[in-house]
Amino acid sequence: MASISLSNIHKFYPNGYAAVRDVSLDIKDGEFMILLGPSGCGKSTTLRMIAGLETISKGDLHIGGARMNDIDPADRDVAIVFQNYALYPHMTVIDNLSFGLRLRGVGRSIIDQRVANIADMLGIGELLSRKPAQLSGGQRQRVALGRALVREPKAFLLDEPLSNLDAKLRSAMRTELIKLHRTLGTTIVHVTHDQVEAMTMGERICIMKDGVIVQVGAPMEVYRNPVNTFVAGFLASPPMNLLRGRLSAQSLSLDGTVLALPPALGQAFADHAERDVIAGMRPEDFHLKADAAASTVPVEVHAVTTEVLGPEVILVATVSGEQGAEIHIRCPRDFRAKPGEIVIFHYDVSQLQLFDPETTYALKRPVQI
């Protein structure tokens, strides 16, 4: 196992494009780190620089305390699993699993033992004689993981390894990867654009945009305290509702809908009174009934449509009339509303987040309300 440290890493291409800019990140020994962001944000390029598949234009990379900038990829002792699996199509599963070890001159008995252990761990023992074309997507993914695991590297680098799987298999493989990490305790860096993967798998999330790091933290820490509107609108599905409003000393006006603020929030945001703000409201903080124990205030919405998901219903609605801004609200599974129907919800205003419309950064909230 090994820690991974990126210090002021840059990646410039010959045409001048900066794919990664001034990225600094310390990944602890044995940590499961998620690199999350939209396509083109630089997360895969960052992973490839750790693997040695992309040169580092500026900055320093250390793995296990040793500088790796000029070390050949084969000598970094890391294993990478790609989105497309990258299995050798002419080789059987057992040959795919053992190929890297054979190249390194590992003894036959050790290879056989490692392959047997990994095949048993991943449940692919009955597939060893097959070739990749005879495997399902989930089976190929297990073999690709097995090929990385059998090397017993210092760290695993996973580049969107679940994106080609269907929803059921993706969920199952998330669980398998979490179990594997708990069993092995090896450092894992996992690149994804899937918020569910990030929230359920990572011990910490590093959110990237336009080649820079925007926020790093534990999943729930980032979820509860997004640093800016990009993180608020990107993490979770459905994401935080972002509405333009006007703040006063004791209330927030959202295009005609006025929310009374608890004293603690009013005091926390006092310096921004009588200014425009962006209000962040999580879909799960709207309730059909008032809660005397919570700071709920009534909010009238106009139903647009409902998304029935089984365990819950997502209501798409507008505030302040049918032409108002659209929001998403999590509702109980038996909730129903016709398009245009007016529904009264009770919003837990203690969970309100406010952002500066110019900088997009979050305004400081009280720790507890």
Side-chain angles (χ1 to χ4, degrees):
M1 296 189 295
S3 60
I4 299 174
S5 177
L6 296 87
S7 301
N8 308 111
I9 295 290
H10 294 72
K11 176 61 184 179
F12 304 114
Y13 287 103
N15 63 1
Y17 175 66
V20 174
R21 294 176 288 137
D22 201 24
V23 163
S24 294
L25 179 66
D26 290 320
I27 302 169
K28 302 172 187 175
D29 185 12
E31 185 174 22
F32 199 136
M33 171 66 76
I34 300 286
L35 301 185
L36 175 69
S39 297
C41 72
K43 57 188 186 297
S44 289
T45 303
T46 301
L47 191 81
R48 290 173 65 85
M49 285 192 286
I50 296 173
L53 303 179
E54 292 276 2
T55 58
I56 296 172
S57 303
K58 184 180 177 182
D60 293 302
L61 168 70
H62 291 81
I63 299 178
R67 189 175 184 272
M68 290 287 159
N69 290 48
D70 303 315
I71 302 300
D72 190 86
D75 298 324
R76 298 193 181 195
D77 198 15
V78 297
I80 186 165
V81 178
F82 296 99
Q83 178 180 351
N84 62 358
Y85 318 135
L87 300 176
Y88 298 109
H90 62 288
M91 292 185 183
T92 62
V93 168
I94 192 169
D95 289 335
N96 266 283
L97 292 175
S98 61
F99 182 70
L101 297 179
R102 295 201 308 270
L103 283 181
R104 288 168 175 78
V106 178
R108 186 75 239 180
S109 60
I110 296 177
I111 291 176
D112 291 344
Q113 184 61 51
R114 287 194 192 177
V115 169
N117 290 342
I118 294 301
D120 181 62
M121 181 187 300
L122 296 176
I124 57 175
E126 73 280 4
L127 308 176
L128 295 178
S129 62
R130 299 186 190 179
K131 292 185 177 180
Q134 299 170 300
L135 305 177
S136 68
Q139 290 169 334
R140 291 179 198 173
Q141 186 60 75
R142 289 172 185 267
V143 175
L145 285 170
R147 187 174 58 183
L149 290 168
V150 78
R151 289 179 47 195
E152 299 181 356
K154 291 180 180 177
F156 295 107
L157 311 178
L158 311 180
D159 191 3
E160 304 206 41
L162 310 184
S163 60
N164 289 338
L165 304 180
D166 61 46
K168 185 177 180 180
L169 268 177
R170 195 157 57 242
S171 177
M173 287 305 299
R174 284 200 302 267
T175 302
E176 290 301 318
L177 282 172
I178 293 169
K179 286 160 57 177
L180 277 172
H181 179 250
R182 289 175 181 168
T183 300
L184 301 172
T186 308
T187 307
I188 295 179
V189 185
H190 181 125
V191 163
T192 184
H193 62 270
D194 188 307
Q195 298 93 333
V196 175
E197 285 182 29
M199 291 295 295
T200 57
M201 296 173 66
E203 292 174 313
R204 283 196 299 157
I205 301 173
C206 171
I207 298 181
M208 298 185 67
K209 180 189 179 188
D210 298 332
V212 300
I213 291 176
V214 181
Q215 187 171 4
V216 180
M220 287 308 298
E221 174 190 339
V222 176
Y223 180 82
R224 288 175 176 155
N225 300 292
V227 70
N228 61 15
T229 55
F230 170 75
V231 176
F234 184 78
L235 191 63
S237 181
M240 179 180 283
N241 299 299
L242 297 173
L243 305 173
R244 290 193 169 270
R246 181 80 176 178
L247 184 67
S248 71
Q250 298 177 330
S251 64
L252 172 68
S253 176
L254 301 173
D255 193 23
T257 297
V258 179
L259 307 181
L261 299 180
L265 272 184
Q267 294 172 10
F269 298 141
D271 291 344
H272 298 271
E274 309 309 327
R275 296 186 188 178
D276 292 335
V277 293
I278 296 176
M281 308 166 79
R282 289 282 181 198
E284 62 270 24
D285 293 328
F286 291 84
H287 309 282
L288 289 170
K289 295 182 180 179
D291 186 349
S295 304
T296 57
V297 295
V299 177
E300 180 181 288
V301 303
H302 292 247
V304 175
T305 187
T306 55
E307 301 173 359
V308 180
L309 303 179
E312 66 178 357
V313 173
I314 304 298
L315 171 66
V316 182
T318 60
V319 295
S320 304
E322 296 183 356
Q323 303 304 315
E326 282 191 354
I327 63 172
H328 292 77
I329 300 174
R330 292 188 186 276
C331 304
R333 61 185 178 184
D334 58 351
F335 175 84
R336 297 293 183 272
K338 297 178 181 178
E341 182 178 342
I342 296 176
V343 186
I344 303 296
F345 282 91
H346 299 269
Y347 174 68
D348 184 356
V349 73
S350 69
Q351 301 302 311
L352 178 69
Q353 306 260 356
L354 293 182
F355 302 88
D356 187 312
E358 294 183 4
T359 66
T360 76
Y361 279 92
L363 305 184
K364 188 175 180 180
R365 302 173 75 253
V367 177
Q368 291 183 333
I369 298 179

